[in-house]
Amino acid sequence: MADSDLPGDGANHGSVVLPKRFALVLGGGGLKGFAHIGVLRAFEERGIRPTVLAGTSIGSLIAAAYAGGMPLDEMERRARSLRKSDLFRIDHISMVSKRMLSPSLYLSKPLTRLVTEIVPKGTFRELGRPLLINTVDLEDAAQVLWGLPGLQDVPIADAVYASCALPGFFPPGLVGGRTCADGGISDNVPALAASHGMDAVIAVDVGSTNIARQRRIREKGFAAIYGRAAQIMMKSLQSLQLDRWRGPPLLLVRPAVWRYGLFSFAHVSRMIELGYIAANDALDRAGASLMLGGVWPRRLVEVRVDRAACTGCTLCVTLAPQMMTMGQDGKAEVLVSPVEWSRADGDFVHQCPTNAIHVDVVDGLQRRETLEMPILDDSSDL
């Protein structure tokens, strides 16, 4: 894409002012990633076209399909028609014959077929448009972002399959002679990795930094327990990156899909809608912030402690000493409130073992909404 096709310096799209070069990064999150389709639709309606597309796991699948020219209507049609049997088929033979040496719970063929049908054929170099697919080399224990210089002469489909291959669920993929798997293992929303040469980054997080409580997890079986553990690991890694963000201005879009499971086939339409809503909200709130620095959008919040629920464990003070302290009665106290937070702030709130810390979004002098951790929709389990 030529520079003349991109938003110019200070281009105004609706309420957001975008710099000339920016990356759009689509994170992993199982089927919650269908929210990316709604995000892309909001961008198209505003005439916003990223300089670089990047993705992890389902984000890589959608980024690659979009980079290859698949219309959003077609993408949405495919998402709505997807069924569990189209993706998950237990590898009974391997599990019986190889037992502990079986590479995965599910067969690779359904995922391979899905990827082959959706992503563009050929290599990254042949695509002719900047596309980055995030994986992890399991042998070298290293992040590999296919599409970067020196990593362009491999089939796009190979890289996307590997990026979607969550260990334990699907066998690793072979990409350019490397044994690779889901990039979410190390970086579920590779915003920093995609930021080189960019004036800003727009990152869409659908599964790593907000996760809901999941009741009766011990009764859900191996796949659910392992998936839950992977999601918690990804959350911790992503929160750390955002908390220490030192890249160009970052617009963080976080669709409200955390109440749904990783493989929630029953709620595809709603997740697409939530992606559309979140993208428009973030763009409307951004203004000219992406010409500045830091993580956006930001909002005024009030932080408070339920003293009856607080046990005085001190974890919040250890994690957020700039926000919390211990009172003389041994209960946690808030140092600064209200405070301006981005969506990357406040992770320590959800670490409280008794849920004694509460956050309210403040609109002017009025309390507008309470941020609480939702309960996961139990109907969405595998």
Side-chain angles (χ1 to χ4, degrees):
M1 183 181 296
D3 285 348
S4 59
D5 296 326
L6 304 171
D9 291 324
N12 194 323
H13 297 269
S15 299
V16 64
V17 180
L18 293 172
K20 186 168 186 175
R21 297 178 58 82
F22 71 94
L24 175 61
V25 182
L26 307 181
L31 298 190
K32 293 188 287 187
F34 285 140
H36 293 316
I37 299 172
V39 171
L40 290 170
R41 189 172 296 282
F43 276 41
E44 278 200 353
E45 288 180 357
R46 296 177 184 235
I48 297 174
R49 288 168 288 185
T51 313
V52 173
L53 279 163
T56 295
S57 196
I58 191 170
S60 75
L61 182 68
I62 293 176
Y66 193 67
M70 178 176 286
L72 291 179
D73 286 345
E74 172 66 9
M75 211 178 291
E76 187 167 340
R77 184 193 66 78
R78 287 176 175 269
R80 293 176 189 273
S81 65
L82 188 67
R83 298 292 179 266
K84 184 187 296 187
S85 59
D86 296 330
L87 191 57
F88 299 110
R89 297 182 190 174
I90 296 176
D91 189 353
H92 293 285
I93 294 177
S94 182
M95 293 180 69
V96 171
S97 62
K98 297 183 179 179
R99 298 192 179 188
M100 294 299 292
L101 292 179
S102 177
S104 65
L105 180 61
Y106 298 108
L107 292 164
S108 63
K109 186 175 292 184
L111 177 58
T112 300
R113 183 185 304 114
L114 178 66
V115 169
T116 302
E117 290 176 352
I118 289 177
V119 309
K121 302 184 185 303
T123 67
F124 289 85
R125 190 181 303 278
E126 292 167 343
L127 180 62
R129 177 176 183 177
L131 172 68
L132 305 177
I133 301 300
N134 189 38
T135 67
V136 167
D137 185 322
L138 292 177
E139 295 182 347
D140 289 345
Q143 181 178 14
V144 183
L145 207 65
W146 300 98
L148 289 176
L151 298 170
Q152 298 172 325
D153 296 313
V154 299
I156 297 170
D158 289 355
V160 171
Y161 169 85
S163 186
C164 293
L166 180 64
F169 281 69
F170 295 102
L174 194 63
V175 191
R178 295 173 179 257
T179 301
C180 295
D182 192 334
I185 297 170
S186 66
D187 192 354
N188 199 42
V189 187
L192 189 61
S195 69
H196 180 73
M198 298 293 104
D199 301 313
V201 176
I202 300 178
V204 187
D205 172 22
V206 295
S208 58
T209 30
N210 261 357
I211 57 176
R213 295 191 193 97
Q214 186 166 7
R215 294 180 289 200
R216 303 188 304 275
I217 184 63
R218 64 185 297 171
E219 303 170 12
K220 302 296 183 180
F222 162 78
I225 293 172
Y226 183 83
R228 181 67 170 177
Q231 193 176 19
I232 294 169
M233 175 192 69
M234 294 174 188
K235 172 187 180 295
S236 298
L237 291 172
Q238 200 61 47
S239 295
L240 183 63
Q241 180 187 118
L242 292 173
D243 185 57
R244 300 179 179 179
W245 181 256
R246 295 296 182 270
L250 172 68
L251 182 67
L252 182 60
V253 180
R254 186 174 290 163
V257 293
W258 47 82
R259 69 181 68 252
Y260 303 116
L262 289 174
F263 306 109
S264 180
F265 289 86
H267 303 286
V268 171
S269 296
R270 179 57 178 160
M271 289 188 286
I272 293 173
E273 180 186 16
L274 289 170
Y276 179 81
I277 292 171
N280 279 311
D281 177 69
L283 292 169
D284 287 342
R285 290 174 180 270
S289 57
L290 292 188
M291 306 299 288
L292 304 173
V295 181
W296 301 86
R298 296 176 183 169
R299 51 190 174 177
L300 193 65
V301 300
E302 179 183 312
V303 184
R304 53 191 172 86
V305 176
D306 180 347
R307 301 181 70 78
C310 178
T311 64
C313 74
T314 74
L315 183 60
C316 61
V317 177
T318 303
L319 296 175
Q322 76 283 1
M323 275 293 302
M324 308 297 294
T325 189
M326 298 303 296
Q328 292 184 350
D329 61 352
K331 301 283 188 176
E333 294 181 354
V334 180
L335 286 172
V336 183
S337 185
V339 62
E340 190 180 62
W341 273 359
S342 77
R343 292 186 170 101
D345 294 310
D347 182 63
F348 72 92
V349 172
H350 300 301
Q351 303 301 327
C352 176
T354 59
N355 300 309
I357 307 174
H358 301 276
V359 180
D360 302 318
V361 175
V362 178
D363 186 1
L365 298 178
Q366 300 296 317
R367 183 176 295 171
R368 186 164 58 86
E369 64 176 301
T370 299
L371 303 183
E372 296 178 347
M373 182 177 287
I375 303 299
L376 189 66
D377 184 343
D378 288 335
S379 67
S380 60
D381 296 333
L382 274 176

